């Protein structure tokens, strides 16, 4: 009998799994159930959709021969009976279940975010996770003059950059001492901050948003009057108050405070859940049930990034298609890359040498070009790197990092290939 594979969650991990399973000639039928009203798309490009560089169609992801069922929320799974229940009451059978339910934005503990009726966020406050979020934000950005982005990680930085590109004066409020603190060091963050300033984005780091206040009760001037329901106590958002008492007036707020894995289905079905759905090296959570992407927790790590989600999808496709029944996911070494209109950075592995006195550091800073590069080496092996503002050598670096072996030449080449060296090396 042809095995029926049900994938719950029509996002990036789901699409990658379906596409790879088909490409590997997997013998089963794959159905992708997605709660969003459209077939899977590349979520990483949402900021580019916001600026208008891409439209929704151009970021669609291929699904191989799988059947997409958009607008089909799965409300329960039964691993013993091997069935799932849809929001419309329909029950479907499966032989293998793949959970790829992704993650939800975290709402920070900021007073005044929620509407007085308790449903949703007050007008003018947005999250950015889906194309629908993106469309709403783009619509409001047209009439907005000032925006505050709460959270200065990868998502916050790319959202701020996109809003600035739309002509909205934008400020980032970030609790940590510097931007993208998990992947950049102090010096890279200084360069990033300057680049953001040049693009029209100011940053307030080491500072926490404490409250959101309503404005005058009147929507922003160029937004259609009376269009937005008024939240109790002052209408749509008008300002963000920081913990130091400073007040940033604004007519838009974007929340970019991280994500939390969507585990409710797995939890209700009695599957092992900690922060995410717990999976072994085969990405199995239970017999016949696997989990991949932002919802999965592997060896204590929930990655929350597209690269690991795709690697997990590839491994699972190899295992379930029969191409490599013993395929195992060893984990993903930390790496991140952002490349978006005027802002580029990449970071791999260990970026903080203070954590390990045995590391050598090579730095190249070029204030004129606004670039910063740093390599961390243990002997002749690359253990980490940051590139900011100039990614000319990123492929060579990524290759050396992934390879993990001894570097062939002087490591300086990994910083300067394809560039004119004008900075200082320390
Ligand atoms: C604006 C933005 C920028 C980003 N930039 C980067 C970046 O530069 N680099 C990077 O590595 N990562 C980035 N990410 C993170 C990256 O998008 C995620 O890591 C990736 O999408 C994870 O894929 P996933 O399939 O696990 O989850 P998702 O892509 O979120 O897909 C999960 C899907 O499951 C659906 N779903 C959930 N529950 C159910 C249910 N019960 N029934 C049916 N469907 C359900 C959801 O509606 C959703 O469509 C970014 C994310 C955002 C939002």
């Amino acid at each position: 009998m042809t095995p029926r594979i049900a994938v719950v969650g029509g996002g990036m991990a789901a699409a990658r799994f379906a596409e790879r399973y088909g490409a590997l000639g997997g013998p089963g039928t794959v159905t992708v159930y997605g709660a969003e009203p459209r077939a899977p798309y590349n979520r990483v490009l949402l900021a580019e959709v916001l600026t208008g560089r891409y439209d929704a169609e151009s970021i669609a992801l291929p699904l191989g021969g799988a059947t997409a069922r958009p607008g089909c929320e799965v409300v329960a799974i039964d691993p013993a009976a091997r069935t799932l229940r849809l929001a419309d009451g329909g029950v479907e059978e499966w032989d293998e279940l793949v959970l790829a339910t992704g993650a939800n934005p975290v709402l920070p503990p900021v007073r005044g975010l929620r509407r007085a009726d308790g449903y949703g966020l007050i007008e003018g406050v947005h999250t950015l996770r889906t194309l629908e979020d993106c469309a709403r934000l783009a619509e409001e950005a047209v009439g907005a003059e000032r925006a505050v982005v709460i959270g200065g990680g990868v998502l916050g930085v790319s959202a701020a950059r996109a809003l600035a590109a739309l002509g909205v004066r934008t400020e980032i409020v970030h609790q940590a001492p510097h931007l993208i603190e998990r992947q950049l060091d102090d010096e890279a963050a200084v360069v990033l901050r300057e680049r953001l300033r040049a693009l029209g984005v100011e940053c307030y780091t080491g500072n926490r948003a404490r409250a959101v206040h309503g404005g005058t009760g009147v929507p922003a001037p160029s937004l259609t009057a009376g269009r937005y329901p008024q939240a109790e106590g002052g209408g749509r958002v008008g300002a963000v108050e920081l913990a130091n008492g400073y007040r940033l007036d604004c007519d838009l707020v974007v929340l970019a405070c991280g994500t939390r894995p969507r585990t409710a289905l797995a939890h209700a079905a009695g599957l092992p859940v900690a922060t995410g759905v717990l999976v072994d090296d085969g990405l199995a959570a239970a017999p016949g049930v696997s989990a991949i992407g932002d919802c999965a927790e592997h060896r204590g790590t929930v990655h929350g990034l597209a690269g690991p989600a795709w690697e997990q999808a590839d491994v699972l496709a190899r295992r379930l298609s029969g191409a490599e029944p013993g395929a195992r996911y060893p984990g993903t070494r930390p790496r991140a890359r952002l490349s978006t209109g005027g802002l580029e950075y990449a970071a791999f592995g260990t970026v903080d040498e203070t954590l390990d006195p045995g590391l050598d550091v090579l730095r190249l800073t070029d204030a004129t070009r606004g670039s910063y590069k740093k390599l961390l080496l243990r002997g002749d092996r690359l253990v980490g790197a940051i590139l900011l503002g100039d990614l000319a050598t990123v492929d060579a670096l990524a290759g050396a990092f992934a390879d993990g072996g001894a570097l062939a030449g002087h490591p300086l080449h990994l910083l300067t290939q394809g560039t004119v060296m004008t900075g200082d090396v320390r």
Side-chain angles (χ1 to χ4, degrees):
M1 200 183 80
T2 307
R4 296 158 298 182
I5 302 183
V7 184
V8 185
M12 293 187 69
R16 178 73 171 208
F17 168 81
E19 191 274 325
R20 294 313 305 153
Y21 184 89
L24 291 166
T29 57
V30 178
T31 306
V32 177
Y33 300 90
E36 290 185 61
R38 58 180 73 240
Y41 54 86
N42 190 338
R43 209 172 292 285
V44 168
L45 295 176
L46 279 184
E48 302 298 331
V49 175
L50 187 58
T51 62
R53 183 167 169 209
Y54 296 116
D55 60 22
E57 281 65 41
S58 60
I59 64 166
L61 291 170
L63 277 181
T67 303
R69 300 272 306 265
C72 267
E73 187 186 359
V74 174
V75 293
I77 54 173
D78 185 338
R82 301 217 168 185
T83 58
L84 59 80
R85 187 152 45 83
L86 299 171
D88 67 7
V91 174
E92 313 252 334
E93 297 179 338
W94 45 267
D95 301 300
E96 281 285 343
L97 184 77
V98 179
L99 291 171
T101 47
N104 285 326
V106 169
L107 299 188
V110 173
R111 279 200 324 271
L113 281 182
R114 290 184 185 277
R115 296 165 64 116
D117 61 12
Y119 289 103
L121 301 169
I122 67 164
E123 296 300 327
V125 177
H126 296 260
T127 54
L128 181 56
R129 181 76 194 177
T130 66
L131 267 169
E132 280 58 44
D133 294 339
C134 197
R136 277 191 291 271
L137 185 55
E139 193 184 337
E140 289 203 12
V142 172
E145 288 175 5
R146 292 184 66 172
V148 172
V149 175
I150 302 180
V154 180
L155 173 58
V157 167
S158 59
R161 202 275 313 166
L163 287 168
L166 291 172
V168 183
R169 196 173 140 199
T170 303
E171 287 153 313
I172 297 177
V173 179
H174 190 47
Q175 198 166 355
H178 66 70
L179 297 172
I180 315 184
E181 72 282 358
R182 278 162 57 189
Q183 288 140 4
L184 299 184
D185 63 4
D186 293 358
E187 291 176 65
V190 169
V191 176
L192 175 63
R193 194 181 180 124
E194 288 310 311
R195 291 186 76 93
L196 281 167
R197 181 170 288 151
L199 294 168
V201 179
E202 281 297 329
C203 304
Y204 299 90
T205 51
N207 223 321
R208 195 172 58 77
R210 180 163 65 190
V212 164
H213 296 289
T216 57
V218 179
S222 40
L223 295 172
T224 318
R227 181 163 176 189
Y228 300 97
Q230 304 296 295
E232 194 181 79
R236 55 179 288 123
V237 66
V240 171
E241 181 192 321
L242 307 188
N244 63 2
Y246 203 75
R247 185 184 156 106
L248 302 173
D249 289 334
C250 59
D251 30 30
L252 271 186
V253 168
V254 176
L255 304 176
C257 303
T259 58
R260 185 168 296 123
R262 287 175 76 156
T263 58
L265 278 183
H267 192 264
L271 294 171
V273 173
T275 304
V277 182
L278 295 173
V279 292
D280 62 18
D281 287 359
L283 299 161
V289 183
S290 309
I292 53 175
D294 284 8
C295 72
E297 178 171 343
H298 173 257
R299 297 190 193 170
T301 301
V302 175
H303 288 283
L305 288 170
W310 280 12
E311 285 177 25
Q312 292 171 359
D314 289 357
V315 169
L316 189 63
R318 294 207 302 278
R319 180 164 76 76
L320 295 187
S321 67
E324 190 187 335
R328 290 288 174 266
Y329 171 69
T332 303
R333 299 171 78 191
R335 63 169 193 265
R337 181 171 178 171
L338 178 70
S339 183
T340 164
L343 263 190
E344 298 186 302
Y345 88 82
F348 313 97
T350 305
V351 296
D352 184 357
E353 67 276 18
T354 61
L355 301 177
D356 184 344
L359 298 179
D360 293 321
V361 182
L362 201 57
R363 279 196 186 83
L364 187 64
T365 311
D366 186 337
T368 319
R369 296 164 63 147
S371 72
Y372 172 81
K373 305 175 187 180
K374 168 167 138 177
L375 297 188
L376 291 101
L377 302 146
R378 180 173 289 110
D380 56 4
R381 279 159 220 278
L382 182 67
V383 297
I386 298 175
L387 292 183
L388 186 86
D390 175 3
L391 300 195
T393 57
V394 69
D395 291 337
L397 268 174
F401 177 70
D403 178 47
L407 298 177
H410 191 285
L412 195 55
H413 293 303
L414 286 172
L415 288 184
T416 57
Q417 275 165 7
T419 68
V420 181
M421 200 179 87
T422 55
D424 64 327
V425 181
R426 284 178 283 151

